[in-house]
Amino acid sequence: MSVTVTVRLFAGLRERAGSGERRVELPEGARVADVWPRLQLGEEPSGLLYALNKRYAQADSTLDDDDEVAIIPPVSGGAFRLSADPIDADAVIREVSDPRAGGIATFIGTTRVESRGRTVQHLDYEAYGGMAEQVMSEIAEELKRKYDLCEVAITHRIGRVGIGELSVVIAVSAPHRAEALAACRDAIDTLKERVPLWKKEVYEGGEEWIGKGS
C-alpha cells in the first residue's frame, strides 16, 4: 500500500526543483519528514518549515493519500525582505526598535534621474528570491558579531522603480550611535557586493544592466 501526496515548493526550493509542484508516492504510514528525500534535491537545508494541508505541521506528522505538503524555505521575509511594492521606510525602522538602543541609523537608496551622463527613466531590479533574503540575514549576523548592535532590518525593491522612489532601506539600531552608523554603512556596501540582486538602468533610447557594487 502507498499514499500519493502533492508537494508544494517555494522561492529557492522551487527554483532548485525546476517546478513549484510535484506528486510524490510514499509507503503507507509515511511522515512529513519522508518527503524531502523523495524529491532528490540534495541535502536538506536547515531550518525548513512544513505545512500539511495548509497548516503548519511537525516533521513526524503522518501522511494520508492526496495530502498537500508545503515545504517552506527558512527565510520568507521577516526583517530581510524583497518587495514589489513601494517601501515604507518607517516600517523598516520600527523593525529595529529596541529598548537597549541609543540610536538608529538608516540608509535609504533612491532612484536618481541622471547616471553615467545619461537621463534615467526608471530602474528594474531582479533578485534571486529566497537566496537574496538569506544573504541579507547572513550579513546582519556578521554585522552583529562585528559591532555592538541591537537589530538590523533590510528591505529592497524588485521590479520597476521610478525616479525618486526608494530602492532600498536599511535600519540599524545600537546602544551607541558610532556603532549604528558604522554598521549601516558596512551593510549597504556588503549588500551591493554579495546579495544576488541585479539592476537595469533604463534610459531615453536604451538600457543597461549595471554590474556588481553599483
Side-chain angles (χ1 to χ4, degrees):
M1 297 289 290
S2 64
V3 298
T4 301
V5 302
T6 298
V7 182
R8 300 286 306 280
L9 299 161
F10 302 92
L13 300 182
R14 171 180 53 76
E15 294 179 344
R16 184 192 298 190
S19 173
E21 184 174 305
R22 286 191 182 180
R23 293 282 286 175
V24 174
E25 185 174 346
L26 297 158
E28 187 176 16
R31 301 178 184 277
V32 167
D34 298 318
V35 170
W36 180 266
R38 288 299 180 96
L39 296 175
Q40 297 183 328
L41 296 177
E43 184 177 353
E44 180 176 354
S46 61
L48 291 183
L49 296 176
Y50 292 92
L52 179 58
N53 300 323
K54 298 181 173 61
R55 293 181 181 273
Y56 283 110
Q58 297 299 315
D60 61 357
S61 300
T62 302
L63 298 173
D64 293 320
D65 201 37
D66 288 329
D67 276 348
E68 180 181 276
V69 178
I71 303 180
I72 302 167
V75 176
S76 55
F80 312 100
R81 62 169 62 87
L82 303 173
S83 175
D85 298 317
I87 301 174
D88 181 347
D90 289 338
V92 180
I93 292 169
R94 286 195 296 271
E95 289 184 301
V96 301
S97 178
D98 191 293
R100 298 170 296 163
I104 296 175
T106 62
F107 173 81
I108 299 177
T110 58
T111 302
R112 61 182 183 269
V113 71
E114 292 184 355
S115 178
R116 297 168 178 84
R118 290 177 284 190
T119 300
V120 176
Q121 294 182 327
H122 66 269
L123 301 180
D124 280 317
Y125 282 98
E126 183 176 335
Y128 184 175
M131 182 179 177
E133 299 98 321
Q134 180 66 53
V135 176
M136 290 180 195
S137 178
E138 291 170 358
I139 291 171
E141 290 304 312
E142 292 170 9
L143 292 173
K144 287 181 179 180
R145 290 193 293 269
K146 184 176 180 180
Y147 302 97
D148 180 19
L149 305 180
C150 300
E151 297 296 341
V152 179
I154 305 171
T155 297
H156 204 295
R157 281 289 300 274
I158 54 174
R160 179 169 176 157
V161 183
I163 301 301
E165 293 185 12
L166 310 189
S167 57
V168 59
V169 176
I170 297 174
V172 179
S173 60
H176 306 287
R177 66 178 182 274
E179 297 282 273
L181 289 166
C184 191
R185 178 166 184 164
D186 203 344
I188 185 59
D189 289 344
T190 308
L191 180 149
K192 286 178 172 292
E193 289 294 326
R194 289 175 45 190
V195 176
L197 279 157
W198 301 273
K199 178 175 73 174
K200 179 193 287 184
E201 291 183 345
V202 179
Y203 313 108
E204 295 178 349
E207 59 187 35
E208 180 183 358
W209 286 102
I210 304 301
K212 180 174 70 172
S214 62

